[in-house]
Each structure stands twice: as structure tokens, then as C-alpha cells.
Amino acid sequence: MPDPKLISIQQNNSPNPVGDVIFVHGLGGSALGTWYADPTDTRNSKLKQAQNGELPPQDLNFWPAWLGTDYPQLNIWSLDYDIEPSAWRGGTMPLADRANNILQVLSNKRIGRKPIAFITHSMGGLVVKQMLRSALDFGNPRWKAIADNTQGIVFLATPHSGANLSNWMQFINRTLQGALNLSVSVEELEDNHARLRELNNVYRNQPRLREIPIEVYFETRPYKPIGLVVDQTSADPGIPGAVPVGVDADHITICKIAPDKKADSLIYNSVTIFLEETLLQGAQAISGQAAGEPTANGQTLKTASSRGFRDELFDTLARLPSPQFEQLLFGLNLPAGTLSGREAPQGKRVSEFLDWVEGSSSGYTLEQVDDILSEFLQRP
């Protein structure tokens, strides 16, 4: 079983890309094929070339690449990992183990230093929910940075309370006396499965998870011969303000947009507005903008080189355990009201702190703060 990896659809090469968009496929899907619907590629030859490494993914005519073109300030990724319905088709892991596995892959790619948005299909949405829960629970600072900097999630036909697909496959498997060799991933997708109930309860009641902006879409057309795989009830995550929206598509086509349908696509237009309202605005609040452009509080960042130093300092501060960060702030005697409240994501508060340092009234420089931080971390 190969390790998961992030496939780059677009990389912003400026000193300060404003965020990361990560596509996460579901059960039996793939990093490129799940999102691909080019009718001119009749035998999927271009898709196969891209999957074999013979064609850059950004050359595919599919909507992850369109986002890269429309928003060049963003990094666009697609997650490649195994999550198969049958052990005959490949490997899989229990949901909790796979979530931890992917968190480590993302942190190794330095994901968590910039604002993040996830676009998920089917069980991919459950993987992301479990990832964020684990990131907050386990005390790993690099994992926590991923949760803190997640600014939005799009759920496309995600079965928050289980899917008819699992019940149907288990029925067929019983009929064939176990011949399908169903994976643990299918078992965990069973309607009203205990693990999904518990994950839903945690997500609805954990303050940080509950505040992450989300958009929810569900299929309205049956996928033959199963019918509706994820109906409106299962697609509803139970988060206040998150209203499931029906789409004229089945479970497979809900995440595929043909090139000639881009202009009128409900999903594409909704996702672009969602990214503008959450990820792009969140990036300005968390990291500021590129050198010479105004940040959210009207200040400017002086040079590309200082931008790189600020990024390094931001990364160090964002990884600090929250009590240590609060002690550092107390020692520097920040004026009241300089930062958002403690309930805000630490990444946002770090950015506000660095904006204050670079302002004219702080009396500090980034280099001085770095020296103070080094001394602070060496204390017994």
C-alpha cells in the first residue's frame, strides 16, 4: 500500500501564497479521477497520462485546475490515498488511523502555515472531520496548526450519519457469502454507525470545530442500482447555519463538472464565492498580504525578505502550546484589545501579534521578538 501524498495542481511561487486548497476524494475514488469530467477525452487518455506522471495535473481540463487559474494566489492540491470498498482492490485503514496518517503527511508538506480550505467528496469529508478532531485532541503542535488554520470545508455528498452504499454492499456481500471481502471503510459507513454518531457529537459540540465555516451539498438523483447513496438527512451535519443544498446530480457526478458547464455550475460558482469569503479573507486576517500591500489593519509589509522571516517566526509562534504563547504575550505587555480573544484560532492571534510588532507603536522589531522568544524557550 503506497503512502498518501499531496498531488500539486498549482503552486504559487510568490514569497507569500495566501493559502492552500486541498481536494479530498472518498471511498473508491482517486486524487484526479474523482473530479474529472472532460467529455472530449473519450477514453480518459489524458487522465491516465496524468495519473501515470506523463502529463502535469494542471494540464487536465478539470475544476481543481480551473481554481488554480482563477485564483493564482492559492496553492491547489489533491490528496492521493487508499480508501477502498473491498480488500481485493487495495488497502485501507480505520477512519481514525487514516486521519492521523494523513495529518502527518500534511504537516510534512508544511500545511498549516497558511489558511486552508478542504473540498471533500463523500467519505473524504468524514476523513477531514476526523483529522481536525485528532489535530485538536492529541497535542501535536504541527497537527493543531492545521486545525487552527482551517478556514472552510465544502462537503459534497458526505454521509455524516452513514450511507445507503454501505448497507447495499453488505447485503450483496452476505448474498455472495463474503466474496467481496469488504473493507473496514465500508463497515464504518453503515447507517447510524457508532463511530459516525460519536464523530458527529464531537464535531457539533467542540467550539473550534463548530465555528469552521462549511457548505453542504447532497445528491438528488439516484445512482443505479443503489438509489440515493447519501440523502438529505445523512448529508446534514447538524451544525447551525449549515443548510444542505440539493444538486441535480447523483453520488458520482456531484463532484464532476464538465468544462462546458463551468459558467453555470452551481458547485463551481458556490465554491469560488465560498473561498473568497473564507479562505482569501481569512488569509488577509491571518497572514497579511504580499509585500507592499496593506494588511487587514492597514499596515504594509516592507520587503519579500522580511516576509520570509515573518513567515518563519509565524510558524514558530503558531506551534507554541497555547499557555506558552499567552505567557510570551503577557511578558511583552501588549495593549488591551490588540489581539482577538483567546477563543480565536491561535494562527489568527499570532498574525495580529506580528502586525502589532511591525506597527510604529510597539517598540519592537521582528528580530527582537525572535531573540526574546529564543530566550523564553530556553528557560527551565
Side-chain angles (χ1 to χ4, degrees), residues 342-380:
R342 293 189 182 187
E343 71 280 359
Q346 184 160 317
K348 180 178 180 181
R349 302 184 77 229
V350 168
S351 178
E352 292 170 342
F353 167 65
L354 295 178
D355 285 345
W356 172 76
V357 170
E358 292 186 312
S360 59
S361 61
S362 74
Y364 296 101
T365 66
L366 292 179
E367 289 76 10
Q368 289 172 327
V369 170
D370 187 53
D371 291 339
I372 293 170
L373 178 61
S374 296
E375 294 179 7
F376 176 77
L377 293 177
Q378 290 173 5
R379 294 176 186 172

Side-chain angles (χ1 to χ4, degrees), residues 276-318:
E276 290 169 2
E277 293 178 343
T278 56
L279 185 62
L280 297 178
Q281 292 180 12
Q284 294 177 20
I286 291 177
S287 297
Q289 292 182 318
E293 296 179 0
T295 61
N297 64 3
Q299 299 169 353
T300 59
L301 303 177
K302 299 176 182 59
T303 65
S305 60
S306 68
R307 177 72 258 171
F309 183 76
R310 176 182 163 127
D311 280 347
E312 293 178 3
L313 188 55
F314 174 91
D315 185 57
T316 302
L317 291 169

Side-chain angles (χ1 to χ4, degrees), residues 45-373:
S45 58
K46 292 182 180 178
L47 174 62
K48 292 173 183 176
Q49 287 179 318
Q51 290 172 330
N52 293 332
E54 301 165 2
L55 181 73
Q58 60 266 32
D59 288 352
L60 288 177
N61 196 2
F62 72 150
W63 67 288
W66 305 341
L67 281 180
T69 300
D70 291 343
Y71 299 95
Q73 66 270 56
L74 298 174
N75 296 325
I76 311 294
W77 310 85
S78 190
L79 182 66
D80 185 21
Y81 71 110
D82 281 335
I83 183 166
E84 297 292 350
S86 169
W88 298 119
R89 289 191 56 184
T92 192
M93 289 184 187
L95 183 61
D97 293 339
R98 176 57 78 193
N100 295 346
N101 173 256
I102 292 173
L103 277 170
Q104 190 64 25
V105 170
L106 297 186
S107 68
N108 288 344
K109 278 288 188 179
R110 310 299 194 268
I111 302 297
R113 298 183 176 187
K114 301 290 182 185
I116 307 164
F118 291 99
I119 299 174
T120 71
H121 176 238
S122 193
M123 195 172 183
L126 302 180
V127 171
V128 169
K129 288 174 66 175
Q130 182 64 50
M131 282 167 45
L132 298 179
R133 176 195 178 179
S134 298
L136 293 174
D137 282 352
F138 292 149
N140 182 314
R142 289 192 294 158
W143 292 8
K144 184 175 183 296
I146 293 173
D148 285 343
N149 285 314
T150 295
Q151 301 297 308
I153 308 171
V154 176
F155 294 109
L156 302 175
T158 291
H160 296 279
S161 57
N164 293 333
L165 172 65
S166 174
N167 297 341
W168 178 80
M169 292 192 71
Q170 293 197 57
F171 169 75
I172 296 297
N173 191 44
R174 287 193 297 270
T175 303
L176 298 178
Q177 299 180 336
L180 290 183
N181 196 13
L182 295 180
S183 72
V184 65
S185 296
V186 171
E187 295 172 5
E188 289 180 323
L189 273 177
E190 183 180 356
D191 274 342
N192 208 31
H193 191 281
R195 175 168 290 282
L196 298 187
R197 292 202 310 271
E198 189 229 5
L199 181 59
N200 258 350
N201 287 333
V202 169
Y203 206 89
R204 290 168 180 170
N205 291 285
Q206 210 284 344
R208 169 60 188 137
L209 297 178
R210 193 173 61 239
E211 74 179 7
I212 296 173
I214 63 175
E215 288 206 346
V216 180
Y217 300 90
F218 65 93
E219 69 225 45
T220 60
R221 295 182 179 178
Y223 178 67
K224 298 179 180 179
I226 305 170
L228 291 178
V229 177
V230 178
D231 59 21
Q232 181 177 2
T233 300
S234 184
D236 189 350
I239 302 294
V243 180
V245 176
V247 179
D248 289 313
D250 63 31
H251 190 70
I252 303 301
T253 59
I254 193 172
C255 56
K256 298 179 183 290
I257 305 170
D260 61 341
K261 304 296 184 184
K262 174 186 174 182
D264 298 320
S265 168
L266 172 68
I267 294 297
Y268 190 77
N269 289 324
S270 299
V271 167
T272 56
I273 293 173
F274 182 69
L275 292 178
E276 290 169 2
E277 293 178 343
T278 56
L279 185 62
L280 297 178
Q281 292 180 12
Q284 294 177 20
I286 291 177
S287 297
Q289 292 182 318
E293 296 179 0
T295 61
N297 64 3
Q299 299 169 353
T300 59
L301 303 177
K302 299 176 182 59
T303 65
S305 60
S306 68
R307 177 72 258 171
F309 183 76
R310 176 182 163 127
D311 280 347
E312 293 178 3
L313 188 55
F314 174 91
D315 185 57
T316 302
L317 291 169
R319 293 183 184 183
L320 279 182
S322 181
Q324 283 188 309
F325 182 57
E326 297 303 325
Q327 290 175 28
L328 178 66
L329 297 179
F330 180 79
L332 293 175
N333 194 28
L334 271 71
T338 301
L339 308 188
S340 299
R342 293 189 182 187
E343 71 280 359
Q346 184 160 317
K348 180 178 180 181
R349 302 184 77 229
V350 168
S351 178
E352 292 170 342
F353 167 65
L354 295 178
D355 285 345
W356 172 76
V357 170
E358 292 186 312
S360 59
S361 61
S362 74
Y364 296 101
T365 66
L366 292 179
E367 289 76 10
Q368 289 172 327
V369 170
D370 187 53
D371 291 339
I372 293 170
L373 178 61

